[in-house]
Amino acid sequence: MSTTDTDTGTGRTKDPATAKRHIGVSADGELGEAGSQLSTAPVDTAVPGSFGGSRAPGALGWLTWTGREVVGWARWFWRQLTSMRVALILLFLLSLGAIPGSLIPQSGTDAQKVADFKDAHSVLGTVYDKLGLFHVYSSVWFSAIYILLFVSLIGCIVPRTWQFVGQLRGRPPGAPKRLNRLPAYATWRTAAEPEQVREAALKILKQRRFRAHIEKDAVAAEKGYLRETGNLLFHIALIVMLVAFAWGQLFKSEGNKLIVEGGGFSNTISQYDDFKSGNLFSTDDLTPFSFNLKKFTGTYERTGPNKGTPRTYQADITYSVGAYGKQKKTTVKVNEPLRIGDSKVYLTAHGYAPVVTVRDGKGNVVYHDAVPMLPLDPNVTSQGAIKVMDGYKNAQGTSEQLGFSAFFVPTFAGAGKGDMFSQFPALDFPVLALSGFHGSLGVDAGIPQNVYQLDTSKMKQFKDAKGNIVKARLLPGETMKLPNGAGSITFDKGIKEWANFQVTQQPGSDWALIGAFTAIFGLAGSLFIQRRRVWVRAATGADGVTVVEMAGLGRSESAKLPEELGDLAALVHDQAPTKPDTDEAAVETDPDAEPSVPAAEGAEK
């Protein structure tokens, strides 16, 4: 705080340094009730000695002493656990514990990456596995920190909240005996009656939104309760966020589904391409709904430095909620998901699905469908596999399975102008490159396969009479003939598009967001609002003149407290102006007298 000397007509404010020297208030106990309960924070306790005291002789004495020791140490550990210091340490440990969950592959997110990591790092993978670093958020040590932090916050907040409610219901404490020992102080003498001064001060303080009342010969006022409110809100918001986070992790679900234009989806686990969920998730928790992808629309920048960047990226769908819900139309865009109950449907990816028709040697159609291709680059150069599993017979009448390795580009540069890579993501010059295989696809073994790759270990590649591999680049409408009357494959003119949707269900996310905003506002209140008390004492002096004393006390030192007290003193002084001393009146009547300037209080001569 800075030294402030008010006008000699209004009074004076003590030098804070002098006030601090005088304020052995806490040690002297002179503040008493006036200096208490400016905060609800519990008082730190040092590491205790023996709680048991002296031990009486005999077994009973030993049991009594042991009981006192156990209870004493238990109380001490509970006080430490529920202190803000320990809560902050646990919060810091929780943040440190989350780092491995971001840097190391997690089994709940990508089990394949975990397996690859273990294969590549045999020793380190074993250590990580024993430490639970592949499943950080469900590990024992992370859960222990989480639970301890939760208990610490609740154990700290509940008694503080109860104490704060008691303070709100009570009145500001009365003035201490010696106001001149407080950090901010002002005094003057006035001709007004003490009752008039107190009433004026009470009115002014209430107008400044102080909680004020008259007690004995002084007005007691207090302001800044929102500081403690903000502090409690901040910690309550932390608890809300912890609960919301735990609830969301335990009951969350997340699945992906690739849908070609014209296709549909029903929200059941069997319909997902991949699905993962929390430990307490149940299939009954899935929101019942279904939707169909009617059309995907994607447009791109044609010129400039952003050439190829999507301008429009949206999926037009129809959806219904429940088994007999009414069909509704909507458009799902990037970062604009469809919300149905607790579920959100996000648009996450896009690609092309060329339509192909496969015929056997007799011209019978054995396969006709749109085949989704996986993009490899921003220009949607794509690859995939076409698998004919049933219904095909070769020229000898033997049942076989066919497979075609496919490569698709929406905008081909042209023959002789480089490799098979797309020049632009739109369908400007689509080309489908194919090479065929016949034999067994390996799907009958029951082992899961990647639908976008061929297992050619039990297949032979089609070759012509000269032994050359049969392959072709097809434009829409063109056909590749298979050798020896094996049939043909046609690249149809209709090229469909597909969209990948991610369906997420994470309860508690709204509460986590509310908790985050509440924590920010609570922290701002606890940092920028100062809780302070002001007293105005008006009493008749020994000479019969009213002496007015004003003093302020804050939770911590601040330059604003003397300034605020000076403003309040000026307002009160307007209602009860200074009574001039006799000597001062005599000086004013002598126009030839030299004005005397009194030295500031505490100034060195």
Side-chain angles (χ1 to χ4, degrees):
M1 292 187 295
S2 60
T3 303
T4 304
D5 292 316
T6 60
D7 186 87
T8 53
T10 2
R12 61 187 183 277
T13 302
K14 284 183 64 68
D15 176 10
T18 306
K20 283 187 69 177
R21 290 194 301 269
H22 287 181
I23 206 164
V25 278
S26 299
D28 297 344
E30 293 191 14
L31 278 182
E33 194 71 23
S36 65
Q37 297 183 345
L38 273 173
S39 170
T40 58
V43 179
D44 286 340
T45 56
V47 178
S50 173
F51 291 101
S54 58
R55 186 190 307 179
L60 182 59
W62 181 86
L63 288 174
T64 305
W65 179 85
T66 303
R68 290 197 299 265
E69 281 286 304
V70 171
V71 172
W73 279 103
R75 288 176 176 173
W76 183 82
F77 278 116
W78 175 252
R79 292 192 192 101
Q80 301 308 306
L81 179 61
T82 56
S83 66
M84 278 295 113
R85 179 179 61 254
V86 173
L88 290 174
I89 293 173
L90 291 171
L91 188 61
F92 179 70
L93 290 177
L94 196 69
S95 302
L96 286 180
I99 294 176
S102 303
L103 301 179
I104 300 174
Q106 299 295 293
S107 56
T109 304
D110 196 333
Q112 185 59 45
K113 284 187 177 181
V114 174
D116 294 342
F117 186 92
K118 290 181 178 179
D119 292 339
H121 309 84
S122 56
V123 177
L124 193 60
T126 304
V127 174
Y128 282 2
D129 198 14
K130 290 183 178 180
L131 294 176
L133 298 182
F134 291 123
H135 49 91
V136 168
Y137 303 111
S138 59
S139 62
V140 175
W141 57 268
F142 190 86
S143 300
I145 297 174
Y146 196 91
I147 293 172
L148 283 175
L149 176 60
F150 191 78
V151 173
S152 177
L153 288 173
I154 292 180
C156 178
I157 289 172
V158 170
R160 291 184 67 172
T161 303
W162 185 255
Q163 181 182 353
F164 184 58
V165 170
Q167 293 179 18
L168 290 177
R169 297 177 61 185
R171 286 184 166 190
K177 293 180 179 179
R178 302 185 65 178
L179 291 178
N180 59 347
R181 293 199 172 191
L182 296 185
Y185 175 76
T187 183
W188 69 92
R189 293 153 54 87
T190 180
E193 295 296 326
E195 293 79 6
Q196 295 176 347
V197 177
R198 289 193 288 267
E199 290 295 336
L202 180 66
K203 182 178 179 181
I204 291 170
L205 289 168
K206 286 186 175 181
Q207 288 175 348
R208 290 296 188 96
R209 298 188 302 277
F210 277 84
R211 293 177 62 210
H213 70 104
I214 297 177
E215 183 173 339
K216 298 180 180 178
D217 61 347
V219 178
E222 189 166 4
K223 191 177 183 181
Y225 284 90
L226 286 178
R227 177 189 180 96
E228 193 64 29
T229 303
N231 190 23
L232 293 174
L233 277 178
F234 172 74
H235 293 95
I236 291 173
L238 285 182
I239 294 178
V240 172
M241 291 172 64
L242 289 174
V243 173
F245 176 76
W247 187 268
Q249 290 298 312
L250 291 173
F251 291 94
K252 72 175 183 179
S253 66
E254 181 181 299
N256 291 280
K257 178 63 178 179
L258 186 150
I259 304 175
V260 179
E261 288 177 327
F265 167 78
S266 179
N267 193 24
T268 58
I269 291 182
S270 60
Q271 291 273 301
Y272 283 100
D273 296 330
D274 63 82
F275 184 85
K276 55 180 178 287
S277 62
N279 295 333
L280 299 182
F281 174 81
S282 170
T283 55
D284 296 334
D285 297 328
L286 286 173
T287 306
F289 69 89
S290 60
F291 66 87
N292 294 294
L293 175 61
K294 296 300 182 182
K295 182 176 177 58
F296 180 89
T297 303
T299 60
Y300 308 88
E301 292 286 350
R302 290 282 177 178
T303 58
N306 295 324
K307 181 180 179 180
T309 303
R311 297 182 59 187
T312 305
Y313 212 65
Q314 62 186 39
D316 297 325
I317 67 173
T318 59
Y319 72 97
S320 62
V321 181
Y324 306 101
K326 184 179 179 181
Q327 289 281 340
K328 300 178 183 178
K329 294 182 180 180
T330 190
T331 300
V332 180
K333 301 179 182 179
V334 177
N335 297 326
E336 295 183 18
L338 169 64
R339 290 177 171 84
I340 305 175
D342 293 333
S343 298
K344 295 180 181 179
V345 182
Y346 292 91
L347 175 63
T348 58
H350 154 260
Y352 293 102
V355 179
V356 298
T357 301
V358 180
R359 293 178 174 85
D360 60 14
K362 297 180 179 180
N364 299 320
V365 176
V366 295
Y367 182 88
H368 175 76
D369 204 355
V371 183
M373 300 286 174
L374 287 183
L376 301 176
D377 59 31
N379 286 327
V380 202
T381 302
S382 309
Q383 72 173 8
I386 302 168
K387 299 180 182 181
V388 182
M389 302 180 187
D390 301 306
Y392 173 77
K393 292 184 179 181
N394 58 21
Q396 290 75 32
T398 304
S399 294
E400 279 190 318
Q401 292 177 333
L402 298 181
F404 297 89
S405 178
F407 212 77
F408 176 79
V409 291
T411 302
F412 184 46
K417 295 183 179 180
D419 296 327
M420 187 78 171
F421 286 99
S422 178
Q423 307 299 308
F424 195 74
L427 290 171
D428 292 345
F429 187 11
V431 173
L432 179 65
L434 297 171
S435 61
F437 298 81
H438 62 99
S440 174
L441 292 168
V443 294
D444 297 332
I447 300 175
Q449 287 189 351
N450 190 329
V451 296
Y452 304 102
Q453 294 180 349
L454 283 178
D455 179 5
T456 59
S457 59
K458 298 180 181 180
M459 305 190 80
K460 295 181 180 179
Q461 197 163 16
F462 282 109
K463 297 182 180 181
D464 59 17
K466 296 181 180 180
N468 298 320
I469 296 174
V470 177
K471 57 183 180 180
R473 291 176 177 174
L474 304 178
L475 297 175
E478 293 184 344
T479 299
M480 182 180 79
K481 295 286 186 179
L482 299 178
N484 303 321
S488 65
I489 179 170
T490 301
F491 177 21
D492 294 348
K493 292 184 178 181
I495 300 175
K496 295 185 177 182
E497 300 188 46
W498 59 261
N500 189 79
F501 296 92
Q502 184 181 78
V503 182
T504 64
Q505 188 170 328
Q506 188 162 2
S509 57
D510 293 338
W511 282 104
L513 182 62
I514 293 172
F517 278 111
T518 304
I520 293 173
F521 285 115
L523 184 61
S526 65
L527 291 176
F528 298 112
I529 297 175
Q530 182 188 12
R531 189 170 173 188
R532 63 274 193 199
R533 289 170 180 164
V534 172
W535 293 274
V536 182
R537 173 175 286 143
T540 304
D543 56 357
V545 180
T546 301
V547 178
V548 181
E549 290 182 291
M550 293 185 66
L553 178 66
R555 179 179 172 183
S556 58
E557 288 190 38
S558 172
K560 293 183 179 180
L561 183 61
E563 293 175 6
E564 185 176 34
L565 185 70
D567 294 339
L568 292 171
L571 293 173
V572 177
H573 183 266
D574 290 341
Q575 302 296 321
T578 302
K579 175 181 173 59
D581 292 335
T582 305
D583 294 341
E584 293 178 357
V587 170
E588 290 178 1
T589 59
D590 184 2
D592 298 326
E594 291 291 333
S596 61
V597 180
E601 180 182 352
E604 295 183 1
K605 294 183 180 180

